[in-house]
Amino acid sequence: MSTAPLESAPGTPPLEWRDKKRHLWLLGLIPPTSVFLAMAFVAAFNAIGHGFDAVSPVWWWIGPMLVYVLLPILDVFFGPDGSNPPEELMEQLENDKHYRYCTFIYILFQGLIASLVMACYLWTADDLSWLGIDGGLGLASKIGLALSIGVMGGIGINTAHELGHKKDDLERWLSKITLAQTFYGHFYIEHNRGHHVRVATPEDPASSRFGETFWRFLPRSVWGSLKSSIELERKRLDRVGKPFWHPSNDVLNAWAMSIVLWGVLAAVFGWQVLPFLVIQAVYGFSLLETVNYLEHYGLMRQKTKTGRYERCTPEHSWNSDHICTNIFLYHLQRHSDHHANPTRRYQTLRSFDGAPNLPSGYASMITLAYFPPIWRAVMDKRVLDHYDGDIELVNVAPHRRERILAAHGVAGKDGDR
């Protein structure tokens, strides 16, 4: 659907709308093919010599370079997108299979074709002379490669997130397959049935709180999401009269896919791949959790007179419309529309003017999240501005609640939120 006419008033020529990002979505294939890009650069630098060979190992770190250097620069250079698809074309755009195939191809390159397999080979090979390397990779190069694979897995979790919200059985199974690399299959349950219900409330482990550092949020979200997924699936199985250890348990069968995948890789390439599989998995799901941290920081759904939380609105998610990171994350940064319409496909997600906006793309904000003083200097004032300075409307971290409320001239109460 590159061009489509819009209905216009009688007697006027039809308007046309062109999806300028239609082919740009294919740039999202860079992360799952980054191993092959790194190999090409390493081989080229080693072949050139004259000092280039000395720096060639840096290309094994291509994943972190993409996340922490290239994407933030591109976000600054190209800036926000600023365009939304017209309402009249939503259904046509939603049904255009080109966009669905973009996510399918990502999954193919991530694991079903070669990237993860190639990484295992590179971690264990003793002779890489065909890349201009004497012997095998050094430890620093192996770690860099593991982190690059972790970037692929972390962005892959986002791809799984896109597919896991859909009603099509094939897409849901592809979602689980994509999560197998990072051993984060329980995300499939917790995100859909947990996070989307409790988002922007103190009960949600994946919603970060005002004054909470990323390093405190990370274990809380990982452990809380794990426990929640198990409890949610246990309750579902109880309702249909099945035991927790039933094969239809979506948490267990997702983990089984990871065990099979890692087991086959270890059987083929040797146990030596296991430490690097652990590194890439931990780094991969930590990237997801960093994004979770910045998506709802400090935002709070208020309780109604009935004691229930108000409906989730665009005001309860931090957004960014920076086009480059949006291309790599399949519009994840248009997070408010996603929470309002979870089954809506990425190409139709809209940017809302009324939603709170981050100062830059997710890639830039991920780096800030690692440094709490800088993060709070940038974000705390934005949270307060969003609530017109009323700290009592903010989702404040319990361990800092009394101090933060006192700093704003509000007396805290035991048991508050």
Side-chain angles (χ1 to χ4, degrees):
M1 176 182 165
S2 58
T3 303
L6 288 176
E7 300 224 0
S8 55
T12 61
L15 299 175
E16 288 189 349
W17 178 79
R18 186 182 298 273
D19 182 7
K20 297 178 180 178
K21 292 177 287 190
R22 179 180 177 85
H23 300 297
L24 290 179
W25 295 113
L26 293 173
L27 293 175
L29 299 179
I30 290 177
T33 59
S34 60
V35 171
F36 300 101
L37 292 174
M39 290 166 56
F41 284 126
V42 168
F45 273 45
N46 286 337
I48 293 171
H50 302 292
F52 284 91
D53 53 333
V55 298
S56 67
V58 75
W59 289 111
W60 298 119
W61 296 74
I62 191 171
M65 288 192 292
L66 174 68
V67 171
Y68 302 119
V69 181
L70 182 59
L71 277 179
I73 292 174
L74 291 176
D75 274 339
V76 171
F77 184 80
F78 288 101
D81 183 350
S83 65
N84 284 329
E87 193 66 36
E88 295 89 338
L89 294 178
M90 283 296 190
E91 184 177 356
Q92 186 179 347
L93 189 61
E94 183 88 7
N95 294 327
D96 191 334
K97 292 186 178 180
H98 164 81
Y99 301 93
R100 204 173 310 178
Y101 295 153
C102 289
T103 56
F104 290 175
I105 296 171
Y106 186 105
I107 297 169
L108 288 173
F109 276 110
Q110 178 181 347
L112 298 182
I113 287 185
S115 292
L116 185 58
V117 173
M118 178 57 72
C120 289
Y121 163 73
L122 292 170
W123 284 323
T124 56
D126 295 326
D127 181 10
L128 294 175
S129 56
W130 57 282
L131 288 175
I133 299 172
D134 293 331
L137 295 181
L139 181 59
S141 294
K142 290 181 179 181
I143 293 175
L145 176 59
L147 296 181
S148 293
I149 291 294
V151 168
M152 178 181 75
I155 297 178
I157 295 176
N158 178 61
T159 309
H161 161 262
E162 167 67 21
L163 298 174
H165 275 292
K166 304 304 175 282
K167 298 178 181 179
D168 181 78
D169 288 340
L170 172 62
E171 290 179 284
R172 292 191 174 197
W173 273 101
L174 286 175
S175 175
K176 292 182 183 179
I177 291 171
T178 308
L179 293 168
Q181 175 188 327
T182 48
F183 230 108
Y184 227 55
H186 57 279
F187 171 82
Y188 172 84
I189 297 299
E190 161 56 22
H191 180 82
N192 290 7
R193 305 203 324 249
H195 174 65
H196 271 263
V197 174
R198 301 179 299 233
V199 63
T201 70
E203 289 78 19
D204 181 29
S207 292
S208 59
R209 300 157 176 170
F210 186 90
E212 181 180 35
T213 69
F214 166 70
W215 304 108
R216 189 180 183 108
F217 167 81
L218 179 62
R220 180 175 74 84
S221 183
V222 171
W223 181 243
S225 296
L226 173 62
K227 290 194 300 181
S228 175
S229 67
I230 292 174
E231 185 61 26
L232 287 168
E233 193 63 357
R234 187 189 303 277
K235 289 180 178 178
R236 183 187 72 84
L237 292 170
D238 282 346
R239 287 196 300 269
V240 296
K242 295 180 180 178
F244 179 78
W245 297 100
H246 194 272
S248 63
N249 184 318
D250 282 327
V251 172
L252 297 182
N253 58 47
W255 287 346
M257 290 183 184
S258 295
I259 293 172
V260 170
L261 174 64
W262 286 31
V264 169
L265 292 174
V268 173
F269 296 100
W271 65 267
Q272 293 90 342
V273 301
L274 292 177
F276 300 106
L277 288 175
V278 171
I279 291 172
Q280 64 84 26
V282 172
Y283 181 59
F285 72 66
S286 73
L287 284 176
L288 162 76
E289 296 297 353
T290 315
V291 170
N292 277 339
Y293 176 76
L294 56 91
E295 283 176 336
H296 305 283
Y297 178 75
L299 301 180
M300 178 77 174
R301 287 157 57 196
Q302 307 305 313
K303 286 188 175 181
T304 65
K305 293 180 180 179
T306 63
R308 299 172 65 89
Y309 287 108
E310 64 182 328
R311 181 180 178 273
C312 184
T313 71
E315 297 180 352
H316 299 121
S317 301
W318 289 100
N319 287 263
S320 171
D321 204 28
H322 285 71
I323 188 169
C324 289
T325 301
N326 256 336
I327 290 295
F328 279 83
L329 295 182
Y330 300 112
H331 266 164
L332 180 67
Q333 296 180 138
R334 294 186 169 185
H335 209 58
S336 291
D337 198 9
H338 167 67
H339 272 279
N341 302 281
T343 61
R344 176 170 283 174
R345 295 189 181 276
Y346 69 90
Q347 66 269 22
T348 62
L349 292 175
R350 301 157 297 176
S351 179
F352 291 114
D353 291 335
N357 274 278
L358 297 169
S360 189
Y362 279 12
S364 302
M365 302 307 293
I366 283 173
T367 302
L368 291 188
Y370 295 154
F371 302 95
I374 301 176
W375 170 265
R376 295 200 64 192
V378 171
M379 288 302 300
D380 282 9
K381 60 186 178 183
R382 285 179 165 81
V383 174
L384 292 172
D385 287 346
H386 180 61
Y387 290 108
D388 296 323
D390 191 346
I391 190 65
E392 292 188 281
L393 298 179
V394 176
N395 186 7
V396 178
H399 71 286
R400 302 197 61 173
R401 183 170 180 78
E402 186 175 338
R403 185 189 313 172
I404 289 174
L405 291 181
H408 290 81
V410 179
K413 298 178 181 179
D414 291 340
D416 278 356
R417 291 182 184 142

